[in-house]
Structure formats: C-alpha cells, structure tokens
Amino acid sequence: MPIAFKQVKFKVDRAPMAVPYTDQRGFTIPGKVRRDEKMRPVYNVVLQSYSLEVLLNGSPSHCSMSLDEIELGLEPSEDTDDDGQVKLTLWRRNHPNDSRDVAWGFKGTVTALVIADLAST
C-alpha cells in the first residue's frame, strides 16, 4: 500500500503564555487518498519538530521552561482544493504564577507531518 507524507508548517510570531495558541492550516496530498468503509480519508498527523523561544516584554529571554503542550488534530477543510486541515493547539508556560503575567510570551515554529494511505492504482 503506497503512502504519502506532507509537511504542514506553523509560524508563531508572538503569542501570550496566559492562553492556548491555536491555528489551522490546509494541506493537499499528492495522489488520491484511500477512503475507509465509512468513506473517511485514511490519514493521520504527528509532530515532526518544534522550536519555541520565550519572550519577556517582546524580547528573547533565557529562562527555564518546563510546561509545553502541543496538540495536533485533523479537521475537514472548507476549501475544496484541500484534502484536510491540521489544527494546532499550543500552550507554552513557565512557572504557573508567571504565566498569567501578560509580559511573558513565545514565538517559534511547529512542523506537523501528515501521513496518508494512497489508493492503489
């Protein structure tokens, strides 16, 4: 069974630590994606890589971080040219008390990898 891989990249310019950051990006798989018996596309998403930088009042800060949460999910796409969408939910926090302070934020990149089963030809 052939498979295809598609990278979906997210760029976070500046996000506060006080609330989760969310974003969605469409993707298109080269080839025809196989469908299961309920006619759902057969693909999944995994975290390929991420790199995040802490900001204090908009400037890079070198403090220790220990509470990263990254969630990836697949959503149907409203754009008929896309096969689907990857939804990213990202929550980066330092010490829980500091996280409520609006001066703390983060920026960086997250790369998701969509893995799809292709229909046999």
Side-chain angles (χ1 to χ4, degrees):
M1 177 178 322
I3 59 174
F5 300 95
K6 180 68 175 190
Q7 286 184 330
V8 181
K9 296 182 180 188
F10 295 86
K11 182 177 180 190
V12 182
D13 289 323
R14 186 167 197 278
M17 287 190 191
V19 295
Y21 171 86
T22 61
D23 195 5
Q24 288 184 241
R25 295 267 193 269
F27 64 88
T28 303
I29 300 293
K32 184 176 180 180
V33 177
R34 184 174 68 82
R35 297 202 170 255
D36 66 11
E37 60 278 349
K38 294 184 179 180
M39 297 310 295
R40 295 177 296 213
V42 180
Y43 48 60
N44 208 338
V45 64
V46 295
L47 177 65
Q48 181 174 337
S49 63
Y50 76 101
S51 175
L52 301 173
E53 183 176 25
V54 177
L55 302 173
L56 177 59
N57 292 318
S59 298
S61 175
H62 299 286
C63 69
S64 61
M65 299 295 297
S66 62
L67 302 169
D68 289 345
E69 294 178 36
I70 299 174
E71 180 180 321
L72 295 168
L74 292 168
E75 303 282 333
S77 178
E78 295 176 11
D79 184 343
T80 57
D81 290 336
D82 290 339
D83 289 317
Q85 287 189 6
V86 175
K87 180 179 181 183
L88 168 70
T89 304
L90 177 60
W91 199 348
R92 184 154 220 218
R93 301 180 309 253
N94 52 0
H95 187 277
N97 293 332
D98 294 339
S99 298
R100 295 183 193 102
D101 185 344
V102 296
W104 289 99
F106 63 92
K107 68 178 183 175
T109 59
V110 176
T111 303
L113 184 66
V114 176
I115 305 167
D117 286 353
L118 299 181
S120 298
T121 56

